[in-house]
Amino acid sequence: MFWPFRRRGTPEPPPRPSVDAASIVRRARRLRFRIRPETVLQLAGAYHGARPGVGLTFAELRAYEPGDDVRHIDWNVTARLGKPFVRRFVEERSFVLWLIVDASASMRFGRESQTKADRAAQAAALLATAAIHNGDRVGLLIVSDRIELDLPPAGGVRHLSQVVRALVATPTTSRKTQLHAALTRIRRSSRRAMVVVLSDFESEEPIGLWRRASRRHDVIAVRIVHPLEERLPDVGLLMLEAAEQSGRMVVDTHSLRRRRSYARQADEREQAFVRWCIGAAIDGFRMSTETEPLQTLMELFARRAARRSKP
């Protein structure tokens, strides 16, 4: 597969994206997660269950009813009022967010500061910031055809700075893509999690492995695309370079047939991604490099919330 990676004589894009950490923190505060109930863990944290449960936050004191746990009886109030009362607590909940970020060579395509890698890093940093500010834990996996970086789930401002630094500065050792390499690490985690995969999904991924992952975790696939990958501009002779293999070719973009063929191949890749998401039971979304990641992420979670609120 060839991409309009760069024109002849122009410098190669930087290998890793740049991230404005202060801007990300400000914008991330506007994000709110919409997660499946089974994704939520019964741990102390920022998410409070809709029903009373066991936790650290007191909810109410009420009269004892048959079936209530006797361990929750407030004996001081019971003795004072002459009949049993129980204390109820809000069940505090938290969840783990795993971020899988594609670091293969095809992600470096695009204008400076707006490459697919830039947008993936910015979106990942926004998600990490929103989760950590909500008291949750975030893990990061940067993947090519192997795991380039494994940052175990944790919370706190110090961990957030590690996540942002990793998104900016992690070097890669391979140009190719095998996103499912991250699933080995995810499987070692016994807890349910939300898994967000940020990639251009140019390489075919095994449906079976991802379907098994989606049975346990809430998996979201975000396909990052650049407009030039979908429609070839009419600019004359253009040098194209294979992103993940060696090879170049010159294309006459004045040719209408060539432009139509290029657009058809892009449409086929989009349809292949949709079929893969359906087969793997994964929520699939699209993110353009021309759109601010914050806008796309907010639309993503709004759509998920609207879909799940339907009877």
Side-chain angles (χ1 to χ4, degrees), residues 222-284:
V222 181
R223 182 171 184 256
I224 304 174
V225 297
H226 190 285
L228 284 179
E229 294 178 307
E230 302 179 299
R231 298 295 181 266
L232 204 58
D234 185 358
V235 293
L237 296 179
L238 187 65
M239 171 73 73
L240 305 184
E241 180 174 343
E244 299 188 12
Q245 298 86 26
S246 58
R248 296 180 179 181
M249 63 182 298
V250 177
V251 174
D252 182 6
T253 62
H254 285 322
S255 169
L256 179 60
R257 186 179 68 175
R258 172 67 70 179
R259 296 200 305 273
R260 285 177 174 173
S261 173
Y262 188 89
R264 185 171 59 253
Q265 292 177 20
D267 292 339
E268 290 172 354
R269 291 196 297 273
E270 178 68 22
Q271 292 304 314
F273 172 71
V274 172
R275 290 193 299 270
W276 176 79
C277 290
I278 294 173
I282 287 174
D283 272 354

Side-chain angles (χ1 to χ4, degrees), residues 40-310:
V40 184
L41 303 178
Q42 296 185 16
L43 300 174
Y47 287 93
H48 295 266
R51 61 182 177 83
V54 178
L56 299 178
T57 305
F58 174 73
E60 65 174 343
L61 186 70
R62 64 164 176 80
Y64 174 85
E65 295 177 358
D68 286 341
D69 193 334
V70 296
R71 292 175 298 178
H72 297 159
I73 293 177
D74 188 318
W75 294 107
N76 291 330
V77 176
T78 297
R80 188 166 62 250
L81 298 180
K83 61 180 181 179
F85 277 77
V86 295
R87 297 172 66 89
R88 296 205 308 168
F89 298 85
V90 173
E91 187 171 7
E92 296 180 333
R93 294 166 177 253
S94 173
F95 80 108
V96 173
L97 171 66
W98 273 107
L99 298 168
I100 300 176
V101 180
D102 184 355
S104 62
S106 65
M107 293 290 289
R108 301 173 196 165
F109 175 70
R111 298 199 306 268
E112 184 178 356
S113 79
Q114 289 188 12
T115 66
K116 292 186 288 183
D118 286 326
R119 292 312 197 193
Q122 291 159 8
L126 283 167
L127 290 167
T129 304
I132 287 176
H133 274 251
N134 283 331
D136 300 310
R137 294 180 297 146
V138 176
L140 173 66
L141 294 170
I142 295 179
V143 182
S144 55
D145 60 349
R146 67 200 73 176
I147 295 177
E148 304 283 355
L149 177 133
D150 179 353
L151 201 58
V157 176
R158 180 176 297 179
H159 182 69
L160 176 59
S161 67
Q162 291 178 332
V163 170
V164 174
R165 191 182 309 115
L167 290 167
V168 175
T170 300
T172 57
T173 58
S174 176
R175 297 171 60 88
K176 299 182 179 180
T177 313
Q178 285 186 5
L179 296 172
H180 58 274
L183 294 180
T184 302
R185 175 63 179 89
I186 299 293
R187 282 196 296 266
R188 294 207 304 267
S189 174
S190 61
R191 302 184 183 280
R192 296 181 183 275
M194 173 184 283
V195 180
V196 180
V197 187
L198 297 153
S199 171
D200 54 9
F201 290 92
E202 292 291 351
S203 298
E204 185 176 350
E205 286 289 315
I207 290 178
L209 290 177
W210 285 100
R211 187 189 296 117
R212 285 195 290 274
S214 69
R215 287 173 185 160
R216 180 169 185 81
H217 304 292
D218 186 1
V219 183
I220 302 173
V222 181
R223 182 171 184 256
I224 304 174
V225 297
H226 190 285
L228 284 179
E229 294 178 307
E230 302 179 299
R231 298 295 181 266
L232 204 58
D234 185 358
V235 293
L237 296 179
L238 187 65
M239 171 73 73
L240 305 184
E241 180 174 343
E244 299 188 12
Q245 298 86 26
S246 58
R248 296 180 179 181
M249 63 182 298
V250 177
V251 174
D252 182 6
T253 62
H254 285 322
S255 169
L256 179 60
R257 186 179 68 175
R258 172 67 70 179
R259 296 200 305 273
R260 285 177 174 173
S261 173
Y262 188 89
R264 185 171 59 253
Q265 292 177 20
D267 292 339
E268 290 172 354
R269 291 196 297 273
E270 178 68 22
Q271 292 304 314
F273 172 71
V274 172
R275 290 193 299 270
W276 176 79
C277 290
I278 294 173
I282 287 174
D283 272 354
F285 297 90
R286 169 191 173 91
M287 175 184 291
S288 171
T289 58
E290 301 300 298
T291 305
E292 280 292 320
L294 176 64
Q295 177 182 339
T296 301
L297 292 173
M298 294 186 73
E299 291 173 357
L300 182 159
F301 288 110
R303 285 168 54 188
R304 281 165 55 91
R307 185 170 65 244
R308 285 168 182 161
S309 64
K310 294 180 180 179

